[in-house]
Amino acid sequence: MSTISFAFRKYWASPTGPQTIHFWAPTLKWGLVIAGISDITRPVENVSGAQNLSLIATAAIWTRWSFVIKPKNYLLASVNGVIALTSSYHLLRIFNYRIRNGDTVPQTIKYIINGRVETVEDSV
């Protein structure tokens, strides 16, 4: 048996290999990373602060969890770390945009958490 074949069989049968949820959940979660990267070209007015805050919180929780569970899941930790980075980048984009357009820091934080609040004039 060749070394490559042995390594593949060992990985295939491992507790974090392709036959387990420990492999497929983080692998499919890379779709969130791809979506976050594609949002870089989106106008900053159309990027959701609340969504990116929730992605950062979720990523932080799951990154920590991936080191607590047995077996440790480094693939899960890596994908959640990258999700936190891309979401943080989008929050910085929103923050810089709002500050440069005259908002104060409290107004910007409120905007990030609540989004754009429609007024009566906006709906007419």
Side-chain angles (χ1 to χ4, degrees):
M1 184 175 353
S2 72
T3 306
I4 295 173
S5 176
F6 176 74
F8 178 76
R9 285 180 187 218
K10 184 178 175 186
Y11 178 65
W12 183 262
S14 77
T16 57
Q19 295 182 350
T20 68
I21 192 68
H22 293 287
F23 174 82
W24 289 107
T27 299
L28 296 174
K29 203 168 185 179
W30 281 101
L32 291 173
V33 173
I34 293 167
I37 291 170
S38 70
D39 281 350
I40 290 172
T41 60
R42 179 180 284 194
V44 72
E45 309 89 40
N46 297 337
V47 177
S48 171
Q51 176 182 336
N52 283 292
L53 275 176
S54 66
L55 283 169
I56 290 170
T58 302
I61 291 166
W62 283 105
T63 300
R64 172 70 179 123
W65 178 251
S66 65
F67 292 113
V68 173
I69 60 173
K70 301 275 191 253
K72 291 181 180 172
N73 194 333
Y74 298 109
L75 182 58
L76 182 63
S78 67
V79 71
N80 282 297
V82 176
I83 288 172
L85 288 174
T86 56
S87 297
S88 297
Y89 174 75
H90 290 302
L91 283 181
L92 287 173
R93 284 179 62 207
I94 295 168
F95 192 83
N96 286 333
Y97 175 79
R98 300 297 293 191
I99 293 295
R100 288 182 186 194
N101 285 316
D103 283 359
T104 63
V105 172
Q107 287 173 325
T108 302
I109 292 170
K110 186 176 179 181
Y111 174 82
I112 287 173
I113 293 170
N114 299 324
R116 184 171 156 237
V117 178
E118 288 194 33
T119 60
V120 175
E121 295 85 29
D122 291 340
S123 61
V124 175

